[in-house]
Amino acid sequence: MEFSRNQVIDFFMGRQQNFHSGKAVFTIDLAQDSPTRAHFYQQLVGKSVPQVNAYWARLLFTGNATPPKMLPSPAAVLSAVKENADAIGYVDGRDYDGCCKVVYRLKPAD
Amino acid sequence: MITFKKLSVRITLVISFFALLVAGVGSAVSYTDTLRQERNKAYARIMELAKTVEKSAQIAAYLDNQEIADDVIGGLMNNEVVAGVLLKSQSGWHSTNDHKPLNDALGEAPLALDLDSPFSPGEKVGVLQIFPKHDVIERNAKLIARNQALLLSSYTLIVALIIMLAIQQIFVGTIKTVASTLNRIDPSGTKRLHCPLSHRKDEIGHLIADINFLLDISHFRIHSERELREQLEKLEQRFRLLFENASVGICVLNEHGDVILHNPVCREVLRLDAAPEGPARVEQFFKDARQINRIVFDTLTAGELTNGEFELATTDDLDGPRWAQCLFSKARVSETSEFEGSAFVQMIVIDITERKIEELQTRFKAERDPLTKLFNRNGLETRLNLMRDLALQEACGFAIFLMDLDNFKPINDNYGHEAGDTVLIAVAERLLACFRANDILVRLGGDEFLAALICKPAINQADLSRIAQKTIQLLPQDIPLNQGRNANIGVSIGICASGPEHAHLSIAQLIDHADKAMYQVKLAGKNDFCISVPSPMRRDQLTS
């Protein structure tokens, strides 16, 4: 099972909080200062880290949106996804160890 | 009441009219234009407003987030021209300012801003609809447009007012000053218009210079005319001195003999005032009108001076006879005169009545016997010759009565000269009664008298006898003297009756005939008469 780019955006930007099955989506983010994170958001939605932070800061005030849970390292992300079936996270392709299912591959060209 | 003819009023009216026209049309155009602009501006502002909240609206639509949507809507609703806001997402979720559908409530077409996804540009996630308060926009636009129009109008009117004041000050004020000064200026005086420094080089300056030039000309003209008039007056005064104040009467007659010009003395002498209206013919003022007419005619044709003494016509009965010495001369008419081609007679008249009367009185004294007032011997022959010539001219008879009083000497001797004088005066009176007025009665001296008369149409012995008869009847009647005495005299009359056939005889010869006849009476017994007819001219005398 793979997701479209828009689906991925919707998951990570808090629009889509549930899967089609009805289960809540558990999104996992990398640490605040991680270069992979900056790269990921730049590639996915074309925004810088401060822009994405501001977006979430605004949504936090409304109270009905939860930003993705931040984990310190790609290894932590992979293990968390491995442990939770509803979890979705992202790592640099070089950090991928094959333990998780890849639902979307963010190409540099995209 | 303001007069519309005043320059300032007219300028004010014209400028006011155009100012009001410009203000009216201008503000109408400005009003509609500004209204349209302000309306567009208001809607553009709303769209700008929408743009400022676009980002938040995109997020709200992207997430169907009520809070952010409320934020956006609340922010927009703060604007007074926004009546309502509707934020719709693609999913069908929507939010409004009062959480109700708005399309029905507000009805009118909203301003719409399509909302793209904040993360994928081009992907529409919803739409932001803003319902403007059209009435408020309209009201504000109208307010602004109205203010604009008012501003324009007042600006126009202020400018017009300034122009008006400027014209009033610069143009009308100056013209007014010039006009009132000009009104007070006497064209004959030397006062001139003063040109204000600020107008020295403009049209008003030129106008003032031209007016001053005209004033100079009229000043010069008036002065020369005045001088001319003064000269004329002097001339007239001299003429008056000469003509009006002349001590002799002067008048001018035209070719018909009408008096066309005269001086007061002339009027007085000729009694012109008593003449009837109309042209005064000169001959009517003289006793012998025909003679005067002839003199006037002669003067005009021959151009000779005629001088003479003429008896004037009497104007009323109280007036005695009057005489005037008149000098007639033909007036020379200058070729340039307006009377060229006409002929005039100048007449100088001098009243000589007094002198004439004195003269007559002197002559009377010389010719008359002071006692009886009958003619005396002086000029006897001349007088008798005149009468006889007259008789001969008309082929009438001529008679001489020679009368000598009888018994006069005793009266003179006995009663004195006074009594003699009384008798002589009485005799003279009685003789005047016996003879006609035209007959000549002469006291030859002493108690000798002579009478001469013309017998018309010829010698008539019966007439002569009747006169003689009357005389010898009348004279012997008593002549009362003083102290109750009466004088009683008689008269011896010798008559010489002559006719044209005695033309050869002189007066002295005729008198001699009468004397002889009287002598016969004396011899015959006195107080009688004798008619003697001289023998007619002999044939040889006639032919010689």
Side-chain angles (χ1 to χ4, degrees), chain A residues 23-100:
Chain A
K23 285 181 180 168
V25 178
F26 176 45
T27 49
I28 299 163
D29 213 345
L30 274 171
Q32 188 80 273
D33 51 355
S34 161
T36 309
R37 184 171 183 251
H39 190 68
F40 173 73
Y41 280 112
Q42 194 65 52
Q43 288 292 315
L44 187 71
V45 296
K47 310 264 179 211
S48 64
V49 169
Q51 282 178 317
V52 174
N53 286 348
Y55 174 75
W56 282 116
R58 171 182 264 165
L59 284 181
L60 276 173
F61 282 107
T62 67
N64 51 9
T66 315
K69 184 176 171 63
M70 276 184 190
L71 291 177
S73 65
V77 171
L78 288 170
S79 68
V81 171
K82 206 186 301 180
E83 282 164 16
N84 193 335
D86 299 328
I88 181 168
Y90 61 91
V91 291
D92 191 319
R94 285 166 297 186
D95 295 330
Y96 181 56
D97 58 359
C99 66
C100 305

Side-chain angles (χ1 to χ4, degrees), chain B residues 8 56 67 88 161 171 251 335 342 373 387 397 509 514 520:
Chain B
S8 56
S56 302
E67 282 75 16
K88 276 198 289 193
L161 195 69
F171 187 65
C251 67
E335 284 177 14
S342 315
K373 309 296 181 207
M387 187 178 245
Q509 287 173 314
Q520 286 179 9

